[in-house]
Amino acid sequence: MASNHPEDVPCQRRERLELSAKRAIGRAAASLVQPGETILLDAGTTVLAMAQALPPVPHLTVVTNSVQVLHLLWNRTNLHMVALGGAARPVSGSLTGALAEQALENLRVDRAFLGASGISDKWEVSNRDLEAAAIQRRILKVAHASYLLADHTKFHRTNLAIVSSLSVFTGLITDSGLPARLRKRLQQLLPHVVFA
């Protein structure tokens, strides 16, 4: 089913949607981060919830294309921040385009955490924004492991730009709002599924 959300919902509005689910997902994702890792945090409100829940992790490097994540973690001690360049997209708070994609060519990360606008019945992960989807495809190529952070409202939804098959991801972190049948299917599809 196609998304019925407006094309560009401001980040500040999306942050308030499914707030408790996003916080639970964010806490579960943040608990996976290990000392000494290099992680990549994508732009998006669920990934921002992860950044808000990120505990002090020794010798952590965070790469991001999110202006909000960069601002949130800017003054953290014992944390190395790497911001991708690119074209600023005020509605999503992200940096995208050729400059951001080019920067990723020279990087490798232990884990990437990405959001999505939709997960279709064919298990396709999609985004409303063409440029955001393009950078997410590039992120998947530079990450040793990748996790999709998506609340239950993202399922049975298809948006404009396909990012990848869900099976490309190492794991999925979602909330407990999914029916049992769907939970079981997800556990068959992916090696690591967390229901926060």
Side-chain angles (χ1 to χ4, degrees):
M1 157 169 139
S3 173
N4 57 7
H5 287 296
E7 185 65 25
D8 283 323
V9 179
C11 189
Q12 293 84 355
R13 245 179 70 205
R14 284 185 288 114
E15 280 182 62
R16 295 189 296 268
L17 300 173
E18 299 298 329
L19 185 58
S20 63
K22 288 177 182 180
R23 285 179 176 162
I25 293 166
R27 286 190 299 270
S31 72
L32 297 177
V33 178
Q34 299 296 311
E37 281 191 324
T38 297
I39 64 170
L40 193 149
L41 300 183
D42 183 28
T45 55
T46 309
V47 179
L48 180 60
M50 176 191 172
Q52 290 166 338
L54 197 63
V57 178
H59 311 295
L60 181 66
T61 298
V62 176
V63 179
T64 190
N65 68 319
S66 167
V67 175
Q68 286 90 354
V69 168
L70 184 63
H71 177 72
L72 179 70
L73 300 179
W74 187 267
N75 291 320
R76 284 276 192 106
T77 56
N78 207 12
L79 177 68
H80 182 62
M81 291 294 302
V82 178
L84 299 179
R89 301 182 66 79
V91 171
S92 64
S94 63
L95 300 169
T96 63
L99 286 174
E101 291 180 41
Q102 187 177 11
L104 281 168
E105 287 180 15
N106 299 313
L107 299 176
R108 297 295 177 267
V109 298
D110 297 306
R111 300 182 210 233
F113 297 88
L114 293 85
S117 301
I119 303 167
S120 75
D121 294 337
K122 295 179 180 179
W123 306 112
E124 294 171 324
V125 177
S126 62
N127 199 305
R128 289 182 199 92
D129 184 281
L130 291 168
E131 288 192 8
I135 198 165
Q136 287 180 318
R137 286 191 290 271
R138 192 65 62 98
I139 288 168
L140 289 170
K141 291 180 180 178
V142 304
H144 177 70
S146 55
Y147 296 83
L148 182 66
L149 312 186
D151 69 68
H152 68 278
T153 66
K154 305 297 172 64
F155 289 83
H156 307 296
R157 229 177 236 297
T158 302
N159 286 279
L160 174 65
I162 301 301
V163 175
S164 72
S165 166
L166 181 60
S167 62
V168 168
F169 287 84
T170 307
L172 167 73
I173 305 173
T174 187
D175 64 287
S176 57
L178 290 174
R181 175 190 55 79
L182 191 52
R183 289 186 189 205
K184 185 175 180 181
R185 185 70 184 109
L186 286 168
Q187 289 170 322
Q188 293 168 344
L189 278 171
L190 292 170
H192 189 199
V193 181
V194 175
F195 300 102

